[in-house]
Amino acid sequence: MLELRNITKVYNPGTITEMSLFQDFNLKVSDGEFVAIVGSNGSGKTSMLNIICGSIPVEGGDILIDGKRVNGLSEFKRYRAMGRIFQNPAVSTCPDLTLLENMALADNKGRCFGLQPGISRKRIEVYRERLADLHLGLEDKLNVRMGAFSGGQRQAVALVMATMSPLAFLILDEHTAALDPSTADRIMELTDRVIRENKLTALMVTHNLRYAVEYGSRILMMDKGQIVLDKSGAEKAATSVNDLLGIFNQISIECGN
């Protein structure tokens, strides 16, 4: 289980631009949940992911994983149990390395390399099999530099790389936003399959309301550092894009827009 308990986050404290985003913010995510998170810009979606991953500190409260407080745990240590895919396809892979080298890096995540080859020839067939599951023909392009692939191909590879080692949480930070509609749909289908097959706990920030409605077991809407909608199970299944748009419009009216 992942829990954020009484989180306080203040940007630029003590300055003229001080801004308090979270005040006593609370969230629990149970094992196996696939949570879609929506909200307008500045609502706190990505900041929440950054807090979970340790990318930014908090001024108060606790981040707990399976009941253990991880506030003091560095970002790279948290990533031993987490995989994160970013909006920019260039971020989640190494463009100057080949596909094979990228796969090997992911396969050895958290291990000490020492004075030994970074690529195990015995694992190459495993990499081919994992890539073949994407049905993109990438299994025959292991020696191609990652920078030569399209954004959609790189995000698909990032999904595979994120799940090469045992994983408790998959963090998806608008991972389809930079893709064309057709490719984005394909990546979402792959994402859903990877999460279900690996029985992962996943948090997905998205501006695509259709994806938030169609995928996942729970949906959250955030506004000004607060959760204004939280539905799961049958309630989520009954939620439509128009329902979400209605809440967005109401928030906009209340803000004077």
Side-chain angles (χ1 to χ4, degrees):
M1 175 183 285
L2 170 69
E3 183 177 1
L4 301 181
R5 183 185 295 169
N6 302 323
I7 295 295
T8 296
K9 176 60 193 172
V10 180
Y11 284 102
N12 306 317
T15 71
I16 194 171
T17 57
E18 178 176 315
M19 191 271 288
S20 177
L21 178 60
F22 294 123
Q23 286 288 345
D24 293 324
F25 178 84
N26 294 279
L27 174 67
K28 288 184 180 180
V29 178
S30 299
D31 293 342
E33 280 193 310
F34 179 3
V35 186
I37 305 163
V38 298
S40 59
N41 292 329
S43 61
K45 307 184 301 299
T46 296
S47 288
M48 181 177 70
L49 297 188
N50 286 332
I51 287 170
I52 292 169
C53 294
S55 304
I56 59 175
V58 294
E59 280 63 51
D62 297 315
I63 303 104
L64 299 104
I65 296 177
D66 293 332
K68 297 180 180 179
R69 188 175 184 271
V70 298
N71 289 49
L73 204 61
S74 60
E75 185 175 7
F76 81 91
K77 289 183 178 179
R78 293 192 205 187
Y79 277 128
R80 290 175 180 173
M82 297 180 185
R84 186 171 184 177
I85 303 177
F86 295 85
Q87 176 179 339
N88 184 350
V91 174
S92 300
T93 56
C94 299
D96 293 328
L97 300 182
T98 65
L99 173 53
L100 175 59
E101 290 166 337
N102 273 269
M103 294 290 287
L105 280 175
D107 197 20
N108 288 282
K109 177 182 175 182
R111 301 177 187 173
C112 295
F113 278 89
L115 296 176
Q116 59 188 21
I119 298 173
S120 169
R121 298 297 167 183
K122 296 178 181 179
R123 295 288 292 168
I124 292 179
E125 192 56 38
V126 174
Y127 302 158
R128 291 187 191 278
E129 292 174 2
R130 295 293 296 271
L131 292 168
D133 287 341
L134 300 175
H135 304 293
L136 296 173
L138 296 175
E139 65 275 14
D140 297 321
K141 299 179 180 179
L142 288 175
N143 293 318
V144 176
R145 287 177 56 254
M146 282 303 305
F149 292 114
S150 70
Q153 289 172 320
R154 292 175 75 166
Q155 291 296 64
V157 171
L159 277 171
V160 174
M161 289 173 59
T163 55
M164 287 296 293
S165 56
L167 196 67
F169 303 101
L170 182 61
I171 308 296
L172 305 162
D173 191 358
E174 298 185 51
H175 71 304
T176 64
L179 308 177
D180 66 78
S182 178
T183 303
D185 284 348
R186 175 62 176 154
I187 293 301
M188 272 309 310
E189 291 170 3
L190 288 172
T191 301
D192 185 56
R193 178 159 62 86
V194 166
I195 291 170
R196 285 187 287 103
E197 291 179 353
N198 291 278
K199 297 180 174 61
L200 299 176
T201 304
L203 291 88
M204 177 182 73
V205 164
T206 180
H207 282 293
N208 189 310
L209 299 185
R210 178 171 66 84
Y211 291 162
V213 167
E214 292 182 0
Y215 294 97
S217 57
R218 181 179 175 189
I219 185 169
L220 301 179
M221 181 182 289
M222 298 182 64
D223 179 53
K224 298 176 183 177
Q226 297 181 340
I227 296 173
V228 295
L229 177 144
D230 185 352
K231 293 186 178 182
S232 58
E235 282 191 326
K236 181 190 183 296
T239 302
S240 68
V241 171
N242 285 335
D243 292 333
L244 299 182
L245 283 173
I247 299 173
F248 269 113
N249 291 336
Q250 183 61 42
I251 291 172
S252 181
I253 292 171
E254 291 173 357
C255 292
N257 297 328

